[in-house]
Each structure stands twice: as structure tokens, then as C-alpha cells.
């Protein structure tokens, strides 16, 4: 059976790719990478591009940034069909960060799992990268943490020692709502981090006005 490696390429720095991920990328005849639109750029591809052999085919898979479920499911089917029709023995689907967290590949998996042998290769988790940049632990002793989506209408009522918010909204109203949510629950230390461990890294206390893509908020009591 043909083999597809789903490789987490880490937070965006080429030297944070795992050795296993590098091995799988070098062995692949085709690299599939996610984009928002047909001509869109891919941070995952840029991260590992210089590791990819000259003869390796690079094929974008489009994941539109819309809410319409019918449009999304149509795009997922088309993406899976594009992968299945491409001739290969070994191929990679690369994803920024770690495949376990908000990885677009898993929208395709139901259409692929019966046709391909799939291996998932973990990558350096963005939360680990940001904590390293902030020079602080995520949790200590008996502390617990939760990972939440800040773009969700209902951010939940979790009461763990540390909260990690991903998908930070850009609107002022949404950012103020997130800040109030944290302060009301006693989270007095709020850290913002974006593009950690890369040249564009930015760290701040509190949530800045100009929130960027690939950012998160870590809140502690």
C-alpha cells in the first residue's frame, strides 16, 4: 500500500524540524502542503523547502477560510482526491507545528485512511516553542493547563492553573472580551507570543493591538 507521512514541521524554524520528520521529507516523492487559496503561500513549505530534493513534486492542497460547511466538505473531498490521484510510493503532507493541534490534514483523513498507509510524525508543539521563548515553564508541580480556541463564541468555564489560547482574534472587541474573561477569573499574568523561535518572533505582556497570525496567549494566576 502507498504510504503518506503526515509531518509536523514545528513552529516555523527549519532547525526545529525533528530528525524523523527530516527523514520522511527526504524520502518522499511528493510533498503536499496546505494553503488558504490556490496561489497562497505556505509557512510549512517555507520552513522545510531547502530540505526538499530537486526532483520532489510539491503540490498545494487548498483549505478555504470560510464557515460554510458545504464549501468546506467539498474542498476536503477535492483535496483528498488530489492526493489519491497523484502517483507515489511515499509522500508527505506537511503541517506547521504538531499534527495533533488544529491540523488541516485530519479533515482529509476520513477520505484517505482506507486507501493509504498513514504515519503521523509529531512536531515541536507551538506552546512548547513559545514557553521556551518566554523562558518560563508551562506548568510546575501539580498545576494543570487547558488549550482553548479564542475564536470560539463560548470560551468555556475551565478553571485550570494555566490557560493557553490559540486562534487569537484581531478585532478590538474580541480582544477586550478575552482580556476581561481572563481577569475576571483571576489570571493576572497574561503573555502574548507570536511566530516563536523564528525571525519574526514577538513577545509581550498583555494582548497587543496588532495581533498577528500564528500567535497565542498564555495566562497564569
Amino acid at each position: 500500500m502507498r504510504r503518506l507521512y503526515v509531518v509536523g514541521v514545528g513552529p516555523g524554524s527549519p532547525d526545529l524540524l525533528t530528525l524523523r520528520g527530516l527523514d520522511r521529507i527526504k524520502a518522499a516523492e511528493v510533498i503536499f502542503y496546505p494553503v488558504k487559496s490556490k496561489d497562497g503561500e505556505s509557512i510549512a513549505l517555507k520552513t522545510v523547502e531547502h530540505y526538499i530534493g530537486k526532483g520532489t513534486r510539491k503540490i498545494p492542497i487548498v483549505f478555504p477560510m470560510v464557515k460554510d460547511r458545504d464549501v468546506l466538505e467539498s474542498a476536503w473531498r477535492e483535496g483528498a482526491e488530489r492526493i489519491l490521484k497523484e502517483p507515489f510510493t511515499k509522500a508527505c503532507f506537511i503541517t506547521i507545528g504538531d499534527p495533533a493541534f488544529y491540523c488541516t490534514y485530519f479533515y482529509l483523513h476520513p477520505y484517505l485512511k482506507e486507501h493509504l498507509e498513514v504515519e503521523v510524525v509529531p512536531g515541536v508543539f507551538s506552546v512548547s516553542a513559545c514557553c521556551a521563548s518566554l523562558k518560563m515553564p508551562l506548568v510546575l508541580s501539580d498545576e494543570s493547563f487547558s488549550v482553548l480556541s479564542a475564536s470560539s463564541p463560548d470560551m468555556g468555564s475551565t478553571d485550570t492553573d494555566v490557560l493557553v489560547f490559540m486562534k487569537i482574534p484581531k478585532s478590538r472587541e474580541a480582544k477586550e472580551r478575552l482580556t476581561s474573561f481572563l481577569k475576571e477569573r483571576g489570571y493576572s499574568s497574561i503573555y502574548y507570543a507570536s511566530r516563536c523561535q523564528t525571525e519574526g518572533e514577538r513577545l509581550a505582556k498583555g494582548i497587543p493591538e496588532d495581533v498577528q497570525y500564528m500567535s497565542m496567549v498564555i495566562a497564569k494566576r
Side-chain angles (χ1 to χ4, degrees), residues 86-102:
E86 190 68 22
F88 63 82
T89 302
K90 296 178 180 179
C92 279
F93 181 102
I94 56 174
T95 180
I96 201 72
D98 180 272
F101 285 85
Y102 302 111

Side-chain angles (χ1 to χ4, degrees), residues 22-220:
L22 179 60
D23 176 73
R24 301 301 187 262
I25 287 170
K26 287 185 173 180
E29 303 148 85
V30 187
I31 301 292
F32 299 104
Y33 58 94
V35 292
K36 297 177 184 178
S37 59
K38 188 176 180 180
D39 300 318
E41 294 185 345
S42 168
I43 297 174
L45 181 63
K46 285 185 176 181
T47 300
V48 300
E49 199 157 25
H50 69 283
Y51 295 131
I52 299 172
K54 290 183 179 179
T56 304
R57 303 187 299 281
K58 293 174 283 189
I59 298 175
I61 303 297
V62 178
F63 295 85
M65 300 294 286
V66 298
K67 297 289 187 180
D68 190 311
R69 186 73 182 187
D70 291 336
V71 173
L72 290 172
E73 290 185 352
S74 177
W76 300 338
R77 286 193 297 270
E78 288 178 12
E81 289 168 3
R82 182 69 184 87
I83 291 173
L84 290 174
K85 77 176 185 180
E86 190 68 22
F88 63 82
T89 302
K90 296 178 180 179
C92 279
F93 181 102
I94 56 174
T95 180
I96 201 72
D98 180 272
F101 285 85
Y102 302 111
C103 174
T104 50
Y105 163 76
F106 283 101
Y107 294 115
L108 310 182
H109 189 65
Y111 306 104
L112 299 176
K113 62 183 180 180
E114 302 299 328
H115 306 282
L116 302 171
E117 182 179 341
V118 177
E119 176 187 327
V120 179
V121 179
V124 175
F125 180 30
S126 57
V127 176
S128 299
C130 287
C131 285
S133 292
L134 289 164
K135 297 180 178 61
M136 72 176 192
L138 181 62
V139 286
L140 286 173
S141 188
D142 295 326
E143 292 178 334
S144 58
F145 76 96
S146 299
V147 178
L148 304 172
S149 170
S151 64
S152 172
D154 178 13
M155 290 182 286
S157 57
T158 184
D159 194 38
T160 53
D161 302 288
V162 180
L163 293 182
V164 177
F165 280 95
M166 304 181 80
K167 300 187 177 183
I168 308 302
K170 293 185 177 182
S171 74
R172 174 175 293 183
E173 181 182 354
K175 287 183 293 185
E176 289 177 351
R177 184 168 67 94
L178 175 57
T179 300
S180 297
F181 175 90
L182 293 170
K183 289 184 177 180
E184 287 170 3
R185 287 160 178 77
Y187 295 94
S188 56
S189 298
I190 301 173
Y191 303 92
Y192 169 87
S194 66
R195 298 186 179 275
C196 289
Q197 303 291 316
T198 71
E199 289 184 1
E201 177 180 276
R202 182 183 179 189
L203 307 174
K205 280 195 172 182
I207 305 173
E209 286 294 322
D210 54 335
V211 168
Q212 300 177 355
Y213 181 61
M214 286 183 64
S215 62
M216 70 176 61
V217 168
I218 300 175
K220 294 191 171 192

